[in-house]
Amino acid sequence: MNKIMAKLQKNNKGQYTLLGICIFLSVLLVSAFSFLYFSPTVQDLLPQGGDTRKLSWLLFFVTAAGCTIFTVYGADLFFRNKSREFGVFLALGAQKKKLEAQLFREVSLLLLKVVFLGILAAIPVSWLIWKAFSGLLIGADGLQYRFTPLGAAAGLLFTLLLILCIGSEGIRFVKRTNIIDILNDRRKTEMVKEIKPWTGKLGLFLIVAGLILAVAVPAVFTRIFLRLLPSFWNLTWLVTLTGLYLFLLSAVAHSGKGRNRDKYYKNIISTNLMRFTARQTTKNMCVITLLIFVILISAFWGIMYYNSAFTGSDNAPVDYSMHYPAAEPQLTRSEVESLADAHGVDITFYEEAKALELIIRYVSRDMDDNGKYFDYESEKLASFVSASDFTRISGIPVSLAPGEYQTVVRDNYQRTIWIGPDCLLEITNPVTGAAISPAFQGTVAFENMTLMSEPFAFILSDEDYRELCMGLGDTDMDNMVFFNVRDVYSTYAFAGALQDALVKHATSLSDHYGNYDAHEEKLAVSAGKNYSYSGSIGLLENTGNPVDDWKYAPFFKVLQKQDAMQLVAIYVLLSVYVAILSLTACSVMSYVRSVTIAIDNKNMFGDLKRLGAGSAYVKRVLRAQLKRLYFYPTAAGCSIGLLFSLLLTYFNDMRLDVFEIRMLFVLLLLMVFIATIMYIMYRISLKKAEDIAEI
């Protein structure tokens, strides 16, 4: 028996190779992912509880699910191929226990070999991916790839899950005791009822309607009624899934004569053959469609995150900007220039100004526990500059009359639902109590100053500035410094040294958390409440690197880009990783389904030949089935991905800017790439299917 099994295994090595490839790729991809994600370096870069960490966990589970799905499909095909020889041995009188033991011995040896190779290969693969990733970052030389046992444990845990899935498939296979059922396993059909012509149209309508209900309606509802839709509204995604199933079922099983009866009868075999496995084929196509959707969304979001991080700080008109309490003896201009000279940095522009820290009463919006938004008034300190100083610093001419103000915003600013630039109700001098209620005169974009004050920095007329400045001392003002350098992205070492120097010169006047506000603390103390942002951030004690959460953190374009890239590039890396995995999964699943179609219909193709059909006709029948298997899921997945991205980007802020339009064009290029890969897989699958069917 061992010799016979060895001979069969040698002759059917393609079955073992395909299953081995599926297991190897699954273990490799998930283990490499876990090695990367659980690396201490990556974990240190991801903020605790942040959205990027949550998205990374989601991508990890998507990776594991995708690998499990296409491995189970590979195992299913393996056992389907085994069924005939298993049944023949049973018919010849072989004992079932011996056959089971032999089968599990073969599968176990294969699992041990490919699992070991997969985990072993994951180490250099994850290291190579890390090196490629770190090359995207500015100043990433200090980021070392660090291995952690937690990553290995996650990979081993997934491997155990994979072994259990394959084992359950094997147990389900050997539990079948009816020899005739095993021998006729390939001849089983799943005839479906007649599919009405309107099924496909209804499916398309439900796909579009479901996406609009799930993406567009919540955004519009929130803006109109100022409340969130209840959580059960997420069930509207099921409308899209239902529409997808109906559309693909119609594509597979609908075979109406229509108006062109000659065409129907000419293709009657190819158009009706898939009805015999319509439900199974439709489910397979739905999974492939969803995988293609995941490919597009993962890659699209990854590229969008990367592009936004890479170009985000470029919108700032000034390369270096700092602010600190005017009473603090910080770096002087001569000290900054000396440090620049020491690092070979050429300063091309340098300006200074003072900002008044005045009390503002303003309107903002919050959300209660029931998901309803409500407006409320509050007080805090905010920064104000004069129109003449702003014009000198920014080069943007601003002219304001007494009693008017403008709000400083980011480039391409879009009003949010939480607060608007016209939020000011009153401005008060904290020393004299003098107050004005100025009129809003629009916004002006100057990225650097937006980082110096919350919720906004504001511009006053020169007359109002002088009036509100009365009685204020250095403790009620901030110094602002702005300068440009030549070739800013080559000044990384200078930026780091300058930041260290700022921290060393810091005193208790500036040693505060980023959300600290002296007026809010005063109000909290007077009301007998605890103010959560009180206390030192640790600058004076030199406890680590607290600059990211420092109230007076400087804006250095080169460091800003590095920080954004370190955070975002991890998500980018994982997103592209999931896209590659999903593309691999849908390629393997499509290939497996194509081979299954050829195996299931091999006898039917032989019958067609005996009835007089030529090889060209038989090939056309097979080709028509595989085209549907590849074309409809690819078209559906790409269309749903494009519509979802369009709705998401538009209804996020009710507009499409140049960056978003450019990213949609990138999505179209991704769709072309996916279609190309699927076409290549179609040609490979067709060649293999023709060999199996002997046509």
Side-chain angles (χ1 to χ4, degrees), residues 205-265:
F205 172 78
L206 291 178
I207 289 173
V208 177
L211 287 175
I212 292 175
L213 288 173
V215 180
V217 171
V220 175
F221 182 88
T222 299
R223 286 182 174 268
I224 295 177
F225 298 103
L226 295 179
R227 66 177 306 132
L228 297 177
L229 283 167
S231 57
F232 73 80
W233 191 261
N234 291 323
L235 295 176
T236 52
W237 283 105
L238 297 177
V239 177
T240 298
L241 291 177
T242 303
L244 175 63
Y245 181 81
L246 291 176
F247 170 74
L248 293 177
L249 182 63
S250 175
V252 170
H254 176 58
S255 58
K257 297 177 183 179
R259 297 179 180 179
N260 192 344
R261 297 197 172 196
D262 291 339
K263 182 179 179 181
Y264 168 74
Y265 286 114

Side-chain angles (χ1 to χ4, degrees), residues 43-71:
Q43 291 297 307
D44 291 344
L45 291 175
L46 292 174
Q48 290 292 336
D51 290 338
T52 306
R53 184 178 289 271
K54 295 176 183 178
L55 289 171
S56 300
W57 271 108
L58 176 63
L59 293 179
F60 179 78
F61 287 119
V62 169
T63 301
C67 286
T68 304
I69 287 172
F70 80 77
T71 302

Side-chain angles (χ1 to χ4, degrees), residues 326-337:
E328 184 172 86
Q330 261 293 350
L331 293 174
T332 64
R333 176 172 182 171
S334 60
E335 289 174 327
V336 172
E337 290 175 342

